[in-house]
């Protein structure tokens, strides 16, 4: 029995989309076995031109599962993956799941302190680490295993990287770095392979399969537990939603990072679910994307709005053909009608939005895949997902959504996390007393669709990444020149939001944006660094002394509007003076 709101939202389903999808306790590794059995010679992975068939991929997974066992990994142990999108991530991911262990995914570009804390919190016994960031985690308790990102490149590409020329050196430096003697390599496994017949088929689907890192609804960094059931049911719902996709015939571009819930489930688990070919890009680059498009045209694309914006602009300029893309899903931030229109024009197909969070594996809602899609909305409840809108101060009371009352979105469904690893207090905060997951997002219902109204959590979403103001503030306040700081997000057409820091300086001190970014990068990921700063005399605070970030945001927006208005008033005079200088015979009117 679902809520009245869910029933109402489901009336907007496209024809043929089921409200509930049967789940019989399948594990993610069931999709591996099925895809290999049905499509052994189909290309499973294309990594910058280097390929593996499904049969070859299975062989690598079996060998790696045996290697992990040799390193002492058994059921319920944790294995950290500190890697960009690459074949080794997929191999290590499924090898870990095959023996009933738990994957811990990390951002390889995260600062050393953050990575070490995550490994320690998870209690990982083994960490598969990209050579270029292995120095960050030296000294951790986990057994480090190096990953050579160039290993699966085509032979020609590997030979070119050895040439004594500048471009080859730069390419080599981007992908590889020498590691300390004694650290083993993942590409040189030893031990007997673990064959498919011996995989952990009896694994409880409700037990954790993977840990993903997030700030959750409170902004405090934590590890979200996601089970096989969470991930399997949500990707099954996503494939149901995208009704135009065909098993064994799609080419999925893996651009979103696998350490992100959207990239992990919809791209990694999604390509395996569809027996598709996954084209892996270790980082987003529109030129790299368009080169891959010439070699192996994409049919199913997942990303965030800034990616579509950049790809479309370059593709239109170059005359690139994107008509092979028959399905596009975007998430993490709203897509503007203008970007959506340009993307649909160049691909000739729909782009639809998904809304969710790491704790829901990740999709809660989506816009229908069809003519009824509505860009800029959260959409409607996904199959198997039940939603309500409640009073944030009294979540047992449903708001009057029929008459436009806003409420906090709460969720129930098989996609909802069992909680946070080693953090029962935060798990209790995440759920209401009657078992509904609190998103922290305030929404309204408009014409049968959900629309974001506000956030109870002061999260900044920039380029699809979650940024927590308190973390950025701590980094900046540690500067000797700074006495206080408030970090906010301001609208940015390309990224969704721009990170802005309002800074109070110590007497006599001065700083620049480059100084702030250089200092903060010691403890923050690059995407979380401020893109502009505002020097202020003081910060507004509540009676309890809490910084009023919303007031700071309003003040900075007002100041920028004032400056823009003043600039507009000055410009006509400047233009007239310029015109008079260029045409001395013209009479100047004042």
């Amino acid at each position: 029995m679902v809520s009245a709101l869910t029933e109402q939202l489901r009336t907007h389903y496209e024809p043929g989309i089921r409200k509930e999808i049967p789940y019989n306790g399948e594990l993610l590794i069931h999709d591996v076995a099925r895809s290999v059995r049905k499509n052994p010679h189909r290309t499973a992975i294309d990594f910058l031109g280097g390929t593996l068939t499904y049969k070859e991929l299975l062989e690598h997974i079996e060998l790696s599962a045996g290697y992990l066992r040799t390193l002492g990994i058994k059921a319920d142990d944790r294995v950290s993956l500190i890697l960009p999108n690459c074949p080794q991530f997929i191999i290590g991911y499924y090898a870990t799941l095959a023996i009933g262990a738990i994957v811990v995914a990390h951002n390889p570009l995260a600062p050393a302190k953050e990575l070490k804390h995550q490994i320690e919190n998870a209690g990982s016994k083994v960490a598969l680490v990209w050579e270029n960031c292995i120095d960050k985690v030296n000294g951790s308790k986990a057994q480090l295993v190096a990953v050579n990102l160039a290993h699966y490149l085509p032979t020609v590409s590997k030979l070119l990287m050895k040439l004594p020329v500048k471009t080859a050196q730069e390419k080599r430096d981007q992908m590889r770095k020498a590691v300390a003697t004694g650290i083993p390599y993942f590409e040189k496994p030893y031990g007997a392979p673990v064959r498919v017949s011996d995989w952990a088929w009896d694994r409880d689907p409700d037990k954790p399969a993977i840990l993903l890192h997030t700030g959750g609804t409170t902004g405090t960094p934590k590890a979200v537990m996601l089970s096989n059931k969470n991930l399997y049911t949500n990707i099954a719902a996503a494939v149901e939603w995208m009704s135009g996709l065909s098993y064994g015939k799609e080419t999925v571009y893996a651009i979103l990072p696998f350490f992100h819930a959207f990239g992990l489930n919809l791209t990694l688990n999604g390509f395996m679910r569809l027996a598709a070919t996954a084209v892996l890009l270790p980082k987003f680059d529109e030129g790299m994307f368009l080169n891959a498009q010439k070699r192996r045209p994409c049919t199913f694309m997942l990303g965030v709005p800034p990616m579509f914006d950049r790809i479309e602009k370059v593709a239109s300029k170059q005359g690139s053909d994107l008509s092979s893309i028959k399905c596009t899903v975007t998430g993490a931030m709203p897509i503007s009608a203008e970007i959506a229109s340009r993307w649909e024009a160049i691909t000739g197909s729909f782009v639809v939005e998904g809304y969710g969070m790491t704790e829901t594996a990740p999709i809660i809602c989506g816009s229908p895949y069809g003519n009824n899609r509505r860009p800029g909305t959260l959409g409607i409840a996904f199959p198997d997902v039940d939603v309500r809108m409640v009073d944030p101060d009294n979540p047992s009371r449903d708001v009057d959504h029929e008459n436009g009352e806003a409420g906090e979105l709460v969720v129930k469904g098989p996609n909802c996390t069992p909680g946070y690893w080693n953090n029962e207090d935060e798990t209790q905060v995440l759920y209401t007393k009657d078992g509904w997951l609190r998103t922290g997002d305030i929404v309204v219902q408009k014409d049968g669709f959900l629309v974001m109204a506000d956030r109870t959590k002061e999260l900044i979403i920039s380029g699809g990444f979650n940024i927590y103001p308190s973390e950025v503030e701590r980094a900046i306040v540690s500067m000797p020149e700074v006495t206080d700081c408030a970090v906010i997000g301001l609208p940015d057409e390309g990224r969704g939001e721009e990170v802005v820091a309002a800074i109070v300086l110590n007497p006599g001190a001065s700083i620049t944006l480059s100084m702030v970014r250089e200092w903060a990068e010691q403890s923050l990921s690059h995407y979380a660094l401020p893109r502009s700063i505002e020097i202020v005399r003081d910060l507004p605070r509540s009676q309890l002394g809490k910084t009023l970030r919303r007031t700071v945001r309003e003040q900075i927006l007002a100041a920028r509007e004032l400056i823009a208005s003043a600039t507009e008033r000055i410009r006509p005079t400047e233009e007239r003076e310029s015109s008079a200088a260029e045409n001395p015979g013209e009479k100047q009117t004042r």
Side-chain angles (χ1 to χ4, degrees), residues 154-169:
T155 302
V156 173
S157 297
K158 287 189 279 191
L159 290 174
L160 289 174
M161 285 175 60
K162 295 179 179 180
L163 294 176
V165 295
K166 183 179 179 181
T167 53
Q169 178 67 51

Side-chain angles (χ1 to χ4, degrees), residues 104 233 285:
V104 187
T233 57
D285 179 272

Side-chain angles (χ1 to χ4, degrees), residues 22-48:
Y23 175 67
N24 299 311
E26 295 95 338
L27 308 175
L28 295 168
I29 53 175
H30 278 92
D31 281 339
V32 179
R34 183 184 305 113
S35 293
V36 173
R37 184 177 69 253
K38 293 186 176 182
N39 302 271
H41 303 299
R42 177 175 172 79
T43 298
I45 295 173
D46 178 318
F47 181 63
L48 304 179

Side-chain angles (χ1 to χ4, degrees), residues 13-80:
Y13 274 23
E14 288 292 302
I17 302 301
R18 292 174 290 178
K19 297 176 182 178
E20 283 92 22
I21 301 171
Y23 175 67
N24 299 311
E26 295 95 338
L27 308 175
L28 295 168
I29 53 175
H30 278 92
D31 281 339
V32 179
R34 183 184 305 113
S35 293
V36 173
R37 184 177 69 253
K38 293 186 176 182
N39 302 271
H41 303 299
R42 177 175 172 79
T43 298
I45 295 173
D46 178 318
F47 181 63
L48 304 179
T51 62
L52 288 174
T53 65
Y54 271 95
K55 181 180 178 182
E56 291 168 337
L57 176 59
L58 175 64
E59 291 170 354
H60 286 270
I61 292 171
E62 290 176 328
L63 282 170
S64 298
Y67 179 45
L68 291 176
R69 276 193 174 170
T70 302
L71 294 177
I73 298 298
K74 56 186 183 302
D76 294 319
D77 286 342
R78 275 76 65 202
V79 176
S80 284

